[in-house]
Amino acid sequence: MECAAAGVESKRDAVALDLPKLQLFVRGRDGLQVFDGPCDALSENTAIANSSTGPAVYSKDGRLLAVSDAATGISILSTATGETILHIARPAVVAMAFSPKASFLLTWERFTTDAEQRKPNLFVWSLATGEPVGEYTQKKYSKEEWPSMQWTDDEVLCARCVSNEVHIFDGRAIAEGIKHKILLPNVASVSVAPGAAPYKFATFVEEKNTSPASVKIYQFPRLDSPVASKSFFKAQKVECLWNSLGTVLLVLAQTDVDKSNKSYYGESSLYYMAADGSNESLVPTKEGPIHDVKWNPKGTEFIVISGYIPATPVLFDATCRPIFDFGASHRNTICWSPLGRFVCICGFGNLAGDMDFWDRNKLKIINSVKADFTVSLEWAPDGRHVLTGVLHPRRRVDNGFRIWKYNGALVHSFTARELYEVAWKPSLPGIYPDRPQSPKPRGAAAAQPGVSAPVVEVKKIGAYRPPHASGALSELLRRERNPDSGPKKLTSKPEKPVQNFPPGYVETVAKNASRNKKRRQKKKDGTEEDDANEVEEAPAQVESKPTESKATAATATATVEDLSTLPQEELSKRIRNLNKKIRDIQKLQEQKSQGKEMNADQLSKLSTLGSLEAQLSELTIHVKST
């Protein structure tokens, strides 16, 4: 393997602040390597080097490193000295996980289908004695659902999901067996909430026949009934995403097939559930798939990337209210810094590998870079550096990793023939301070007074456009960069309602005013007859007054008609209708004089009395004259 450093060391690096050195392990074809030091000057820690190519995992506090060897078993190493603290003679381990306080190690081995040779393959090991304290059988292993036994943060309780039940153990005495049970038919998984007591467990029940899927939240010790429940269809699998405070649960429900044939990746929906059952709702997302959801490590907000590519990342607060729209872009991955100050929004997988670094406090983008073929992404525990890896077997060439600063500057690169895994050593909260952006470096001229930087004239060359180019691609790019689709703050204030308008009313004042202006201009130019113009303008004027009654509209239309052309029956009918409307309005006047409160429609009718009486008088005179 080759290691190359790139970039310049920051003026305010971890060494200057007397902070612990960062550490990461690299697992590849040639074995396990560990590197220490500042990110732009990493050095190999030969004391922890191991020739094993099996899985490796750090403890949550970063004190221990477990390394599995297919021939000899599991070695528990000290990350500070490289000393082997414990050896467990259990070869062929596929997956490992530490308990939160590194008191236990959970391991899984491949399940044997032969009934005669079948033995337990899921073990809980005590790191104090090196002996197993729990032995179970688990047929299937899923990276997304690992670890299959989950402890609370203080290791008081431990939960495991089995057929139709959830078993609750004493987290510090697994060997004593099951202490409590949650009886739930068709339960598929359980998720333990982070944080202190009261402890909470979220269970997922799959769809069956016509019954919907459901997620239920139970609070210890009341395990007989849930404190919150949500049922929904289109959920073949779910991902339960707790915030770090254990107060809110996001449920990402997904199906393998989109029946509308709009998405290759199936259908997805996101649900919001308060742990106390006070709020349950559907998170508003863009039409299309939900690519990623991530909570801020502080537990007070989360980001959702949804919609067809280019997708839209949106920031929500802890009450599910949208705060900020990052703008439509080719992004599908979110990665928060451990301190929640910076966030990296990226486009990996089948996208080009662009990474946008954002300052959460300022809601401004710091820089955008490209990390081609990236498979893994992880922030360093100092919250100042990002680790990207190109890993085997997803990518069989150009394997290696790169380290970037929070501002997008590349500070270290590493190449390997075949790289399987790369990971930072974790640290407990409070070890590294929450530092803002460093001041921008001054120019060379300012750094060396009296020395002016050379001026280089660069000849500007226009962009090449091949003959007969249609410009369709340029138009697509311009549409994606439309200001309307760019970053913007969001408000959830309701729009001011339209008062006194009938249902379905659409205001057309501006449109009609523009149309009438053109007609008046044509009239002035002599291109349109006066009578026709008056007849066309009358309905528009009536339409612009939504609170006016239908009687007013009929009256306004009748004033432009030639009454001599109407038959006698029509004139009599109109007189009867006008008399009836006048009597109704007179009754309203009596009610108003008696103190009865009038609504908006009744008041509008009262205001039309004069026009109706004038119309009646005109019709009566015309009938008498004929």
Side-chain angles (χ1 to χ4, degrees):
M1 297 183 182
E2 299 177 357
C3 183
V8 180
E9 184 175 1
S10 171
K11 295 181 180 180
R12 298 176 61 188
D13 63 353
V15 176
L17 296 175
D18 193 24
L19 297 175
K21 292 183 179 180
L22 296 174
Q23 184 183 103
L24 59 89
F25 76 73
V26 177
R27 184 172 63 88
R29 183 176 181 179
D30 298 331
L32 183 77
Q33 290 179 283
V34 177
F35 295 92
D36 295 320
C39 290
D40 56 355
L42 290 177
S43 59
E44 185 175 358
N45 187 336
T46 57
I48 314 181
N50 194 300
S51 60
S52 171
T53 60
V57 62
Y58 280 112
S59 61
K60 188 176 180 180
D61 57 8
R63 294 185 301 106
L64 304 176
L65 174 63
V67 182
S68 175
D69 188 283
T72 61
I74 303 171
S75 298
I76 310 297
L77 309 176
S78 168
T79 57
T81 63
E83 176 187 1
T84 301
I85 298 176
L86 178 67
H87 183 77
I88 301 174
R90 196 73 191 183
V93 170
V94 175
M96 300 182 295
F98 282 98
S99 62
K101 290 190 173 183
S103 302
F104 303 94
L105 180 70
L106 182 68
T107 64
W108 184 85
E109 304 168 11
R110 298 191 184 279
F111 179 74
T112 303
T113 56
D114 189 350
E116 296 181 357
Q117 300 180 356
R118 187 174 301 171
K119 297 179 181 179
N121 64 332
L122 181 68
F123 296 90
V124 180
W125 304 88
S126 170
L127 297 185
T129 62
E131 298 295 328
V133 294
E135 300 181 1
Y136 314 96
T137 300
Q138 179 179 319
K139 294 182 178 181
K140 298 180 180 180
Y141 164 78
S142 172
K143 186 177 181 180
E144 291 76 18
E145 297 179 358
W146 180 258
S148 53
M149 295 185 68
Q150 302 177 40
W151 280 263
T152 57
D153 286 347
D154 53 8
E155 294 187 355
V156 172
L157 298 175
C158 178
R160 178 174 180 249
C161 182
V162 297
S163 298
N164 301 322
E165 295 179 354
V166 175
H167 294 170
I168 310 297
F169 300 84
D170 183 338
R172 299 166 183 169
I174 302 294
E176 295 180 3
I178 303 168
K179 297 293 184 179
H180 308 274
K181 289 183 179 181
I182 301 176
L183 303 179
L184 199 59
N186 302 319
V187 62
S189 62
V190 62
S191 176
V192 179
Y199 308 109
K200 293 173 280 291
F201 306 91
T203 61
F204 167 60
V205 176
E206 298 176 323
E207 291 184 61
K208 187 174 183 181
N209 299 329
T210 58
S211 301
S214 65
V215 171
K216 299 180 180 180
I217 299 178
Y218 295 84
Q219 183 170 298
F220 186 84
R222 293 177 51 199
L223 302 178
D224 54 341
S225 61
V227 295
S229 178
K230 182 68 176 177
S231 299
F232 41 83
F233 288 96
K234 298 181 180 180
Q236 293 178 342
K237 57 183 178 180
V238 302
E239 184 178 0
C240 293
L241 306 169
W242 289 98
N243 68 341
S244 58
L245 306 176
T247 56
V248 179
L249 175 68
L250 295 177
V251 181
L252 179 59
Q254 296 175 310
T255 61
D256 295 332
V257 178
D258 182 1
K259 295 182 179 179
S260 63
N261 294 325
K262 292 183 178 180
S263 174
Y264 174 80
Y265 301 99
E267 296 180 88
S268 54
S269 54
L270 185 64
Y271 299 93
Y272 173 96
M273 296 180 65
D276 57 1
S278 60
N279 189 2
E280 299 171 6
S281 60
L282 178 68
V283 179
T285 58
K286 302 292 183 181
E287 181 183 3
I290 298 175
H291 304 278
D292 199 7
V293 183
K294 288 291 189 302
W295 278 99
N296 186 320
K298 297 179 181 179
T300 56
E301 56 193 8
F302 60 94
I303 296 178
V304 180
I305 300 181
S306 62
Y308 300 108
I309 298 294
T312 304
V314 177
L315 176 68
F316 294 82
D317 65 10
T319 62
C320 201
R321 182 174 63 93
I323 301 175
F324 186 76
D325 186 333
F326 292 88
S329 57
H330 290 74
R331 307 291 183 268
N332 60 4
T333 304
I334 307 164
C335 190
W336 285 93
S337 67
L339 304 175
R341 177 176 290 272
F342 305 111
V343 61
C344 187
I345 301 179
C346 323
F348 295 147
N350 58 349
L351 299 181
D354 296 298
M355 298 195 305
D356 297 334
F357 292 89
W358 287 79
D359 187 321
R360 163 59 190 93
N361 294 351
K362 299 179 180 179
L363 286 177
K364 292 184 178 180
I365 190 168
I366 303 172
N367 197 5
S368 295
V369 296
K370 179 172 287 189
D372 298 325
F373 314 120
T374 297
V375 177
S376 67
L377 173 70
E378 183 183 7
W379 279 87
D382 66 350
R384 310 285 288 183
H385 299 87
V386 174
L387 175 68
T388 60
V390 181
L391 306 179
H392 186 278
R394 176 67 180 269
R395 182 75 179 176
R396 298 184 180 272
V397 296
D398 300 329
N399 282 193
F401 71 83
R402 285 178 282 186
I403 299 177
W404 313 77
K405 285 192 68 175
Y406 66 90
N407 58 6
L410 180 63
V411 296
H412 191 88
S413 63
F414 178 94
T415 59
R417 181 173 50 177
E418 202 170 285
L419 190 63
Y420 305 142
E421 185 181 8
V422 56
W424 290 108
K425 182 187 79 171
S427 68
L428 293 175
I431 300 297
Y432 294 92
D434 184 9
R435 297 164 51 197
Q437 297 184 50
S438 300
K440 294 183 180 180
R442 298 178 180 179
Q448 300 180 4
V451 179
S452 60
V455 179
V456 180
E457 294 185 0
V458 179
K459 183 179 180 180
K460 294 184 178 180
I461 303 176
Y464 170 75
R465 174 169 290 184
H468 310 293
S470 63
L473 178 59
S474 301
E475 178 62 24
L476 175 62
L477 295 177
R478 281 193 295 270
R479 188 162 58 249
E480 291 178 5
R481 296 174 183 175
N482 191 315
D484 295 338
S485 63
K488 56 181 176 292
K489 290 186 178 180
L490 302 176
T491 58
S492 59
K493 294 182 180 180
E495 297 181 359
K496 186 177 180 180
V498 180
Q499 300 293 337
N500 300 327
F501 285 0
Y505 168 76
V506 178
E507 191 171 8
T508 57
V509 175
K511 183 187 295 184
N512 290 327
S514 177
R515 185 186 302 120
N516 292 335
K517 182 179 179 180
K518 293 180 180 179
R519 287 172 178 163
R520 285 192 294 270
Q521 184 65 31
K522 290 181 179 180
K523 177 183 177 182
K524 185 183 295 185
D525 297 339
T527 58
E528 187 171 356
E529 295 296 329
D530 294 352
D531 294 342
N533 186 34
E534 292 175 359
V535 173
E536 290 295 329
E537 286 183 357
Q541 294 170 1
V542 175
E543 187 178 354
S544 66
K545 298 178 180 179
T547 58
E548 197 170 9
S549 64
K550 294 181 179 180
T552 307
T555 304
T557 305
T559 58
V560 297
E561 292 180 337
D562 187 358
L563 299 179
S564 61
T565 61
L566 297 176
Q568 189 68 25
E569 295 180 359
E570 179 66 22
L571 292 173
S572 301
K573 181 179 179 181
R574 291 194 179 187
I575 291 174
R576 288 195 303 271
N577 290 337
L578 286 172
N579 283 323
K580 181 179 183 302
K581 292 175 181 178
I582 291 173
R583 287 195 301 270
D584 292 341
I585 293 176
Q586 290 173 348
K587 291 181 181 179
L588 289 177
Q589 285 181 333
E590 293 178 1
Q591 294 175 0
K592 183 179 180 182
S593 63
Q594 295 173 2
K596 183 177 180 180
E597 186 176 353
M598 301 283 105
N599 58 31
D601 291 337
Q602 291 171 331
L603 291 175
S604 65
K605 287 182 179 181
L606 291 173
S607 64
T608 61
L609 179 60
S611 62
L612 292 175
E613 289 178 342
Q615 181 66 20
L616 177 61
S617 176
E618 182 181 357
L619 288 173
T620 304
I621 294 172
H622 177 74
V623 171
K624 290 181 179 180
S625 63
T626 57

